[in-house]
Amino acid sequence: VQDTQTVVKSHLNQEAKQFDICVVGGGILGVSISFWLSELFDCRIAIIEKEQDLSFHTSSRNTGVLHRPFYLDPEKKGIMARAAEKSYHMWSKFASLNNLPWAPVGTLEVALKDEDLTTLDKYKEWSITNGMGENETEILDFQGVKSLEPEVKCAGAFFSKGDTSVDYRDFTIALANLARKNGVVLLPHSNVKVVEETKSGVVITLERKPAEAKSSIECKLLINAAGGGSVDIAHMMRLGKNYTDLYFRGEYWIVDEPFASKITHNIYSVAKYKEFPFLDPHYIIRANGIREIGPNAVLVFGPHAYNGISTSASQLIKQLFEQPNLPKVRLFVDRQFLSLVWNEWRSSISKKAMCGRVKQFIPSLDHSTLNKRGISGIRSSLIDDHGFIPEAVLLSSDKSFHIMNYNSPGATGAPSYSAYIVSQLGERGFLGGFNKKITNRAKALWDYEGASDLGT
Ligand SMILES: Cc1cc2nc3c(=O)[nH]c(=O)nc-3n(C[C@H](O)[C@H](O)[C@H](O)COP(=O)(O)OP(=O)(O)OC[C@H]3O[C@@H](n4cnc5c(N)ncnc54)[C@H](O)[C@@H]3O)c2cc1C
């Protein structure tokens, strides 16, 4: 990152103002898209990031699990499922070439009640449809679970043996280094404030720290991969006005030893409310071996409200009354939604309440073993008049392309999903003006054709 900042400073000193492509967002998605574009095309690319470092927000504030796609309904989440399947093999090669942590701990997704056991059969079916091997998974009865994890109590579980713990920040930085070698310029401390489409391209007004001075740059194509800021950027360009987003903070607690090591797999429970982004907290093993419980999903009023209730009173008011507010009004009169919001809040305020949720499947876990909070992350969930949107939403104008609602397992699926985005850009005629590179190094690492084909 220090390297990155040096490059940026010297670049800004030379007053670079024109690029072929500007990618807004230095998270795992923006970096992966920039990597592919710089591998395939001879053009000037900049990543615009408002923070001082890459991977500052969600891409380094997550559970760190490389999810196998057994739990993704191929009908509703097929694109993400196929991206996750392909990316698992891509990340595996990437981690080994770059010496990055790779801990294949496996996940037990537990059925708390007999009624949930049918979901495990469904997972088996989905795992095969989504491309997983027959031997990668197993349905266990309660005794099978006991012999694997004596502390876990449940009616049965789906065992996905390949789920792997990684550090997505490391992955993002390593991939950004490859993009940089291909000539991609990184512009940190550059907050996109205004975007205007002109006849010849896009003019982006940036607010730059530390002086907060305004400056503008131009590009032929803008790609919006700004995570929690992506809806605002789309709205700046008068796109996606029927969408708005809600922010849910996922909080974690670190489990102390000696209890922590008694459990050797990730333990998730079958989701109760599939239409809402509320998952019961899991027991997870980080890539560095630390055990945590989490995340919950506490409604907050900003994409970076990592502590407290909201980032500021003005942000709260802006969020509630921001147009379109009808989708929010609809949700806020839904009693089930409100009761879930309330329960999540309880587990934010009370460590005992949070622990109680995990105790449903690990009864011996005591809240006295939870003495330090982990790093919380915020999920931005897109809603429209019909409620929550299950997959990522792609929008475009003449000279811009926008990816919104890129949520879990977004970090898992990034290498393949970003290749798919590049293929979408090609199909929609955005890349016609740029020269293709004759050879690309990516072939030695990842195969673009295979990665980008998500069967749509
Ligand atoms: C609690 C939690 C747990 C998760 N666990 C997992 C998991 O275990 N496995 C998994 O695969 N996925 C997981 N995810 C999902 C995954 O982390 C995300 O899908 C992924 O990180 C999204 O990457 P991104 O690049 O789109 O967003 P980000 O990483 O948020 O990047 C967007 C970037 O855009 C920048 N930006 C925003 N607005 C502007 C602006 N106006 N100007 C300039 N820059 C701007 C931001 O600063 C940010 O750096 C989890 C998510 C959460 C919230």
Side-chain angles (χ1 to χ4, degrees):
V1 171
Q2 199 178 8
D3 229 355
T4 300
Q5 286 175 346
T6 317
V7 173
V8 170
K9 270 185 203 138
S10 66
H11 196 89
L12 289 182
N13 289 342
Q14 290 158 21
E15 288 301 311
K17 295 219 179 264
Q18 299 211 318
F19 296 93
D20 292 313
I21 304 175
C22 282
V23 178
V24 186
I28 202 162
L29 182 63
V31 165
S32 308
I33 293 172
S34 308
F35 165 75
W36 280 119
L37 287 170
S38 68
E39 282 286 330
L40 300 168
F41 294 93
D42 239 332
C43 57
R44 296 161 303 165
I45 302 168
I47 298 178
I48 302 176
E49 169 53 54
K50 69 184 168 71
E51 306 295 349
Q52 72 268 29
D53 291 341
L54 294 169
S55 195
F56 196 85
H57 290 294
T58 320
S59 298
S60 60
R61 292 172 164 271
N62 51 50
T63 309
V65 176
L66 194 61
H67 290 289
R68 305 297 285 122
F70 64 88
Y71 66 100
L72 297 170
D73 181 346
E75 298 279 315
K76 293 187 187 143
K77 298 197 171 186
I79 294 183
M80 201 48 119
R82 290 187 286 278
E85 171 58 26
K86 286 184 186 245
S87 298
Y88 170 73
H89 304 282
M90 294 168 77
W91 280 136
S92 164
K93 188 173 181 188
F94 186 78
S96 126
L97 288 174
N98 290 282
N99 250 328
L100 297 173
W102 183 265
V105 294
T107 292
L108 282 170
E109 178 117 0
V110 300
L112 298 180
K113 298 175 270 120
D114 287 345
E115 300 94 271
D116 294 337
L117 290 172
T118 50
T119 307
L120 309 186
D121 298 326
K122 212 163 27 174
Y123 286 163
K124 187 74 193 180
E125 218 179 286
W126 290 353
S127 69
I128 304 291
T129 312
N130 290 335
M132 292 177 68
E134 182 75 43
N135 298 335
E136 282 189 75
T137 66
E138 204 179 331
I139 295 179
L140 303 174
D141 63 13
F142 73 96
Q143 272 163 337
V145 176
K146 268 270 167 275
S147 59
L148 211 57
E149 288 290 359
E151 302 297 325
V152 174
K153 184 183 143 223
C154 62
F158 189 84
F159 183 24
S160 172
K161 300 171 193 172
D163 281 43
T164 299
S165 296
V166 299
D167 184 333
Y168 285 116
R169 182 180 184 278
D170 288 354
F171 280 27
T172 309
I173 302 291
L175 196 56
N177 284 338
L178 294 185
R180 200 160 53 77
K181 279 190 190 141
N182 286 344
V184 173
V185 172
L186 308 176
L187 303 177
H189 281 316
S190 302
N191 192 356
V192 172
K193 284 302 209 183
V194 183
V195 186
E196 280 166 299
E197 202 160 332
T198 65
K199 275 192 187 140
S200 56
V202 181
V203 179
I204 307 166
T205 305
L206 302 173
E207 192 174 73
R208 286 200 172 123
K209 281 184 195 153
E212 314 247 315
K214 293 240 174 10
S215 68
S216 60
I217 57 174
E218 282 178 45
C219 60
K220 293 176 188 152
L221 169 64
L222 174 138
I223 300 172
N224 170 10
S230 58
V231 176
D232 286 348
I233 291 174
H235 286 178
M236 282 177 204
M237 301 190 75
R238 289 175 286 283
L239 291 168
K241 286 288 191 182
N242 52 326
Y243 296 113
T244 183
D245 44 11
L246 287 177
Y247 307 109
F248 296 93
R249 183 173 65 222
E251 301 164 333
Y252 301 83
W253 282 93
I254 295 171
V255 184
D256 285 346
E257 296 292 359
F259 184 86
S261 297
K262 284 188 178 177
I263 291 172
T264 55
H265 300 84
N266 292 328
I267 318 288
Y268 282 55
S269 59
V270 168
K272 270 192 239 135
Y273 304 101
K274 295 180 181 69
E275 70 278 30
F276 294 131
F278 301 102
L279 294 176
D280 269 316
H282 339 297
Y283 191 98
I284 52 151
I285 303 177
R286 296 269 177 199
N288 61 6
I290 286 179
R291 270 66 164 166
E292 293 183 21
I293 63 164
N296 51 3
V298 185
L299 185 66
V300 291
F301 293 95
H304 309 137
Y306 296 121
N307 301 298
I309 307 173
S310 68
T311 43
S312 69
S314 62
Q315 184 141 26
L316 186 142
I317 291 160
K318 178 176 166 266
Q319 252 286 307
L320 279 179
F321 292 100
E322 191 182 61
Q323 292 299 328
N325 61 7
L326 200 59
K328 277 183 204 151
V329 171
R330 288 224 165 94
L331 270 177
F332 283 97
V333 293
D334 178 328
R335 275 194 30 216
Q336 190 182 43
F337 176 76
L338 289 177
S339 128
L340 288 170
V341 167
W342 169 250
N343 280 329
E344 296 293 331
W345 256 110
R346 277 192 53 234
S347 71
S348 175
I349 297 162
S350 153
K351 175 172 80 172
K352 209 168 165 185
M354 176 83 153
C355 182
R357 297 175 71 178
V358 179
K359 264 170 116 52
Q360 290 181 75
F361 49 93
I362 308 178
S364 50
L365 180 73
D366 192 84
H367 65 271
S368 65
T369 61
L370 311 173
N371 289 305
K372 200 170 166 229
R373 282 185 185 266
I375 295 170
S376 59
I378 293 183
R379 172 193 175 118
S380 307
S381 292
L382 207 63
I383 52 171
D384 67 4
D385 281 356
H386 307 289
F388 287 95
I389 317 269
E391 281 219 311
V393 169
L394 309 181
L395 296 176
S396 58
S397 67
D398 204 23
K399 297 180 182 73
S400 71
F401 193 86
H402 305 255
I403 306 122
M404 307 186 298
N405 208 38
Y406 188 68
N407 286 321
S408 191
T412 300
S416 164
Y417 193 81
S418 54
Y420 165 75
I421 293 295
V422 172
S423 77
Q424 289 293 304
L425 290 168
E427 274 175 30
R428 298 178 194 199
F430 283 104
L431 302 175
F434 306 127
N435 288 333
K436 273 195 181 157
K437 281 186 177 168
I438 296 163
T439 51
N440 62 74
R441 227 188 347 263
K443 278 231 177 313
L445 173 65
W446 296 333
D447 168 43
Y448 168 74
E449 300 299 336
S452 59
D453 179 8
L454 294 183
T456 52

